[in-house]
Amino acid sequence: VRIDNQVINLPEQMITIGFTEQPFYIPYEITQYSFESSDPWRYSWLTSKNRGLRWLTVGDSICNGIPYGYRQQTTIQLDLININHAKDGATIGYFLDGARVISEYIDTITDEADIITVHAMVNDCSGGLPIGAFSDTTNTTFYGAYRMVAEKLLNKFTGKKIAFMTAVQRVNNTALKPYVDVIKEVGAFYGIPVLDLNANCGLYPDLPAYMQYYDGIGLHPNLEGHKIITPKVVDFINSL
């Protein structure tokens, strides 16, 4: 690959790969990379079968994220076009506090998308939404709400790549386990792939040593935490 750039001060220029602008300037330097790097996911765009596809993200604050969180990093690494519908405080099921209810909000989405992921559940747990039973058909229980999400997405985005993600671990993570199990069961029932970040995120904030990867209360991963999560999300999206 040859790139000609007619500028006087090359260190003031930056060329990026993909459709998403880098959130900060990276100073120019001459560096030789090996594709047998210890971080091969950084070059996932080279082999990504999803390059240029539209990735619609639905979720809560962890998905909405900090600047350059896993969503932004994955978009860059896989050369995707991200259409973000995540919102802080969003829930899967129904609450009276005015938060975005994903099981209802899906009806309002008009964007076209090739890949759709849902990453939310923490606020349902914190708010005490009942787990309910698999046979539930309303969004006043987590089972009912998640089944609504699955069926609405399958009907709206028929034939597209739909996937679920469980929440990353948090302090006192055991409270999340019943909600994690619901997501995995619903995903298996409808044939929707699930990335179980709760079991495989590589973070365990109940150990003090891992709090450096979180905010001060052990709920939201910080930038360093998102760097640990990103390769797992990249590999998952690339496998769809």
Side-chain angles (χ1 to χ4, degrees):
V1 177
R2 176 177 175 175
I3 300 174
D4 291 324
N5 190 12
Q6 301 298 324
V7 295
I8 298 175
N9 296 314
L10 186 58
E12 296 179 0
Q13 307 297 312
M14 184 171 75
I15 299 172
T16 61
I17 298 169
F19 297 94
T20 304
E21 184 178 351
Q22 291 277 6
F24 49 81
Y25 174 70
I26 302 173
Y28 170 80
E29 61 180 8
I30 298 176
T31 306
Q32 182 175 353
Y33 289 102
S34 168
F35 292 116
E36 288 73 39
S37 165
S38 60
D39 290 326
W41 65 272
R42 294 183 181 275
Y43 312 103
S44 297
W45 59 272
L46 290 170
T47 57
S48 173
K49 60 184 179 182
N50 296 318
R51 291 186 70 182
L53 295 188
R54 293 159 298 196
W55 176 31
L56 190 147
T57 46
V58 181
D60 55 24
S61 57
I62 296 177
C63 177
N64 198 28
I66 59 175
Y68 208 51
Y70 86 78
R71 177 174 54 80
Q72 297 94 325
Q73 292 185 44
T74 300
T75 298
I76 293 169
Q77 294 305 324
L78 292 183
D79 198 5
L80 302 171
I81 302 169
N82 181 226
I83 306 165
N84 184 37
H85 284 271
K87 184 178 181 181
D88 295 2
T91 62
I92 296 294
Y94 177 73
F95 285 91
L96 295 174
D97 62 1
R100 174 173 293 175
V101 179
I102 292 171
S103 54
E104 299 173 356
Y105 179 77
I106 290 172
D107 296 329
T108 70
I109 295 176
T110 59
D111 299 287
E112 294 184 0
D114 305 294
I115 304 168
I116 304 93
T117 57
V118 179
H119 189 195
M121 57 170 271
V122 172
N123 297 312
D124 297 271
C125 176
S126 300
L129 186 72
I131 290 293
F134 187 84
S135 58
D136 291 342
T137 58
T138 68
N139 64 354
T140 55
T141 70
F142 196 67
Y143 261 119
Y146 223 94
R147 290 193 64 182
M148 287 177 64
V149 168
E151 293 188 9
K152 287 183 178 184
L153 289 177
L154 289 169
N155 283 316
K156 183 181 286 285
F157 298 102
T158 305
K160 303 301 183 180
K161 301 178 181 184
I162 301 170
F164 297 150
M165 297 163 58
T166 66
V168 299
Q169 290 212 16
R170 53 174 286 184
V171 169
N172 300 321
N173 187 67
T174 53
L176 293 179
K177 289 297 187 181
Y179 298 84
V180 169
D181 292 340
V182 168
I183 294 174
K184 293 192 292 185
E185 184 179 356
V186 170
F189 181 81
Y190 288 101
I192 296 175
V194 177
L195 173 59
D196 189 2
L197 285 174
N198 196 261
N200 302 299
C201 63
L203 300 170
Y204 185 64
D206 280 322
L207 282 180
Y210 278 85
M211 285 298 291
Q212 63 181 304
Y213 301 109
Y214 284 81
D215 58 14
I217 59 176
L219 176 59
H220 297 89
N222 58 24
L223 178 58
E224 296 305 312
H226 276 267
K227 288 180 180 178
I228 293 175
I229 298 167
T230 297
K232 303 174 190 305
V233 178
V234 166
D235 289 343
F236 178 66
I237 298 298
N238 217 12
S239 72
L240 297 175

